[in-house]
Amino acid sequence: MRVLQADWNHWPDHGAPAEADPACWEACARLGVGGVEVGIYEAAVELSAARERARDVLAAEHPVEVAALLLSLPAARWPAGALSGGQTDRLVLEVTACAAVTARRGLAVLGLWPGADPALAPWEECVAALARCRDAAAAHAVRLAVEYKPGTVVGDVDAALRLARAVPGTGVLLDTGHAWAAGEDPAECVHRLAGQDVLWQVHLGDAADGAADDDLPLGRIHDPAPLVAALEEVGYPGTATFDLYGAVCSGAWSGEEALAQSLAALRSAARGDE
């Protein structure tokens, strides 16, 4: 398992996402984090040639590689829906652009968060749109891992498994904070998803029951030891990224502080500390 920091965890500390990149890479190098996950709203912006060149410079300086990408589809940018809402052509173009960069960086999986699609979004419409996105990514030899979150059309692990079955060739991004917010046991989710061979990406964080936007540092509420044990038991080989955006937005932690706390909790759990 390769542990990463999300670049978006540093955005609230700085005026613009691009200005946060140096702080992200410096923190990863200082704390011994194995890579960065890049957050994308619009490929033309976050994956522009200039941003990509700047990341490559940072990666060479520190060195910390880009090891994962996440295409986020929030309601603010997709008010009619993303998988739903009749904008599939636009979505496929975004997925295609993101998949091309994913492949160029030698990565096999692209994360996809359909946050704009509410719980009551038409299921079959979402399935059809995701199938088109799957095919667009597959043209670049890239697979899609769909992140579930309470309040969206993919609201829990059951819905995530149902979607993966409905669109063969797609997998699941397990966000542990979202799982705890949904009242789930992330360790159990790891076993269920791995048992179906669809555990393709992981985000690490904590949350109270019903508080899916908390994005608290790992270990803040729940003991992460069973989760870490489950990942080891299934031999999870992918990336595990700290997703702490909500915590940093709250002002209670800086991006580096939330990362340091989460990393300490993860390392303690891995050692089996009491």
Side-chain angles (χ1 to χ4, degrees):
M1 184 174 77
R2 188 175 185 182
V3 178
L4 312 181
Q5 167 72 328
D7 66 351
W8 61 85
N9 294 337
H10 297 268
W11 293 354
D13 296 333
H14 300 271
E19 296 174 5
D21 285 346
C24 177
W25 260 264
E26 290 165 8
C28 288
R30 188 181 313 112
L31 296 173
V33 176
V36 173
E37 180 166 339
V38 172
I40 307 150
Y41 289 130
E42 184 179 350
V45 176
E46 284 81 24
L47 298 181
S48 68
R51 288 293 301 281
E52 284 288 277
R53 284 194 298 270
R55 291 186 184 103
D56 289 341
V57 169
L58 289 167
E61 286 177 350
H62 288 291
V64 176
E65 296 179 340
V66 171
L69 288 85
L70 175 73
L71 175 57
S72 290
L73 308 170
R77 292 173 179 262
W78 299 79
L83 293 176
S84 59
Q87 298 192 73
T88 306
D89 289 345
R90 174 190 168 198
L91 178 57
V92 167
L93 289 174
E94 288 292 336
V95 169
T96 299
C98 292
V101 174
T102 303
R104 181 179 67 78
R105 289 195 170 275
L107 306 174
V109 178
L110 170 66
L112 182 73
W113 176 55
D117 298 292
L120 296 180
W123 181 259
E124 293 304 325
E125 185 178 344
C126 293
V127 167
L130 182 60
R132 286 190 57 191
C133 292
R134 172 203 59 196
D135 295 345
H140 295 277
V142 170
R143 301 179 297 165
L144 297 179
V146 180
E147 179 178 1
Y148 72 87
K149 182 178 181 180
T152 72
V153 70
V154 195
D156 56 23
V157 69
D158 289 333
L161 284 165
R162 180 186 175 204
L163 186 61
R165 288 192 298 268
V167 189
T170 64
V172 178
L173 191 166
L174 169 64
D175 184 303
T176 62
H178 295 170
W180 270 308
E184 299 171 343
D185 176 357
E188 179 183 340
C189 295
V190 164
H191 283 286
R192 290 185 64 190
L193 295 169
Q196 297 298 314
D197 197 25
V198 293
L199 180 62
W200 292 359
Q201 283 187 323
V202 172
H203 283 174
L204 297 171
D206 206 344
D209 191 357
D213 292 319
D214 274 3
D215 299 332
L216 296 175
L218 188 69
R220 188 70 180 177
I221 298 175
H222 298 91
D223 178 8
L227 165 67
V228 173
L231 290 167
E232 292 176 351
E233 287 163 6
V234 303
Y236 174 66
T239 58
T241 301
F242 294 115
D243 187 350
L244 312 167
Y245 184 74
V248 181
C249 281
S250 74
W253 295 269
S254 69
E256 183 168 342
E257 289 168 344
L259 170 61
Q261 288 190 26
S262 296
L263 193 59
L266 180 64
R267 288 171 173 167
S268 177
R271 291 192 303 264
D273 295 348
E274 292 296 333

